[in-house]
Amino acid sequence: MELLGGDLDVLVLNHIILLDLGVWTGSQDNVTLVDKVMKVNFQSYVHLASHALSHLEKTSGSIIVVSSLAGEFRLHSSLGAPVVVFLLFKVI
């Protein structure tokens, strides 16, 4: 954060990876795909939140975790930024 020249007030975690696991056979491919899904949809949240925690404590900041499935819904590009700003200021 020091390199960016500011404080961290809010961390919004919202990302997703959807992979077709197919029929579960217990194969190495099945396990590899499940591992990739867990790394993106869970472990990355923990990793980012852990690194941001000390910065958020300084500012009494917040972490917002959005369901990873919500990342699959898209808004028209001209609505995206205003909607996010509205939601952030209404939620916080």
Side-chain angles (χ1 to χ4, degrees), residues 11 13 15 38-53 63 65:
L11 174 65
L13 300 173
H15 47 276
M38 291 298 292
K39 283 183 179 176
V40 171
N41 293 344
F42 176 70
Q43 292 175 355
S44 60
Y45 281 41
V46 173
H47 180 78
L48 290 167
S50 296
H51 285 286
L53 190 58
I63 297 175
V65 180

Side-chain angles (χ1 to χ4, degrees), residues 23-67:
V23 177
W24 185 262
T25 62
S27 69
Q28 186 59 46
D29 286 340
N30 286 147
V31 173
T32 300
L33 288 174
V34 168
D35 186 47
K36 185 180 279 189
V37 168
M38 291 298 292
K39 283 183 179 176
V40 171
N41 293 344
F42 176 70
Q43 292 175 355
S44 60
Y45 281 41
V46 173
H47 180 78
L48 290 167
S50 296
H51 285 286
L53 190 58
S54 63
H55 300 287
L56 291 168
E57 286 175 335
K58 292 176 190 172
T59 62
S60 296
S62 302
I63 297 175
I64 299 172
V65 180
V66 180
S67 168

Side-chain angles (χ1 to χ4, degrees), residues 2 21 66 81:
E2 291 78 23
L21 299 177
V66 180

Side-chain angles (χ1 to χ4, degrees), residues 8-10 12 17 20-21 23 25-26 28 31 41 43 47 53 62-63 70 73 76 79 86-87 91:
L8 182 62
D9 297 317
V10 178
V12 179
I17 185 171
D20 183 8
L21 299 177
V23 177
T25 62
Q28 186 59 46
V31 173
N41 293 344
Q43 292 175 355
H47 180 78
L53 190 58
S62 302
I63 297 175
F73 297 104
H76 186 276
L79 296 176
F86 172 78
L87 290 174
V91 171

